[in-house]
Amino acid sequence: KHEIAHGLFYTSPEYKRKVLNLLKMFNLEEIKIELKSKDGYCDEVIDDEMHAWILTCSDELKSKPPEKLKEELERLFEKYENI
């Protein structure tokens, strides 16, 4: 699911736009900092990584993402995963 989310982010401009719009609605600085320091992600991929981590591995993050964001990402992913 995590890797499929990455694939959708880079192959579906509409999915990517919707993900980015969702991410902008929340303060995710702590998650961004955690992922950059934990796994060395750079600015160019951080939005994609945050979306995939929140969607599939949020329980592994010390900085807990907003539940509303997680729910919205799950709804969006379910809509696009079988297209």
Side-chain angles (χ1 to χ4, degrees):
K1 186 174 177 180
H2 185 96
E3 298 307 327
I4 292 169
H6 286 310
L8 284 170
F9 191 85
Y10 288 105
T11 61
S12 173
E14 183 179 7
Y15 178 83
K16 180 177 182 176
R17 179 180 50 77
K18 289 180 179 184
V19 165
L20 293 174
N21 285 338
L22 283 172
L23 295 178
K24 287 178 190 174
M25 296 172 62
F26 299 89
N27 180 355
L28 303 172
E29 279 306 307
E30 287 183 22
I31 295 172
K32 195 178 284 191
I33 291 167
E34 181 179 345
L35 288 175
K36 283 181 172 183
S37 65
K38 173 183 173 141
D39 292 319
Y41 296 119
C42 63
D43 288 334
E44 289 78 17
V45 300
I46 198 65
D47 289 330
D48 174 38
E49 289 298 340
M50 281 195 304
H51 122 269
W53 274 82
I54 292 169
L55 186 62
T56 63
C57 309
S58 62
D59 57 327
E60 296 177 32
L61 294 170
K62 291 179 186 172
S63 307
K64 295 301 172 203
E67 193 60 36
K68 178 75 173 159
L69 174 57
K70 186 173 178 176
E71 290 169 3
E72 291 296 324
L73 286 173
E74 286 172 353
R75 245 188 302 277
L76 182 62
F77 180 82
E78 288 173 9
K79 185 176 175 183
Y80 283 84
E81 71 177 322
N82 293 316
I83 292 177

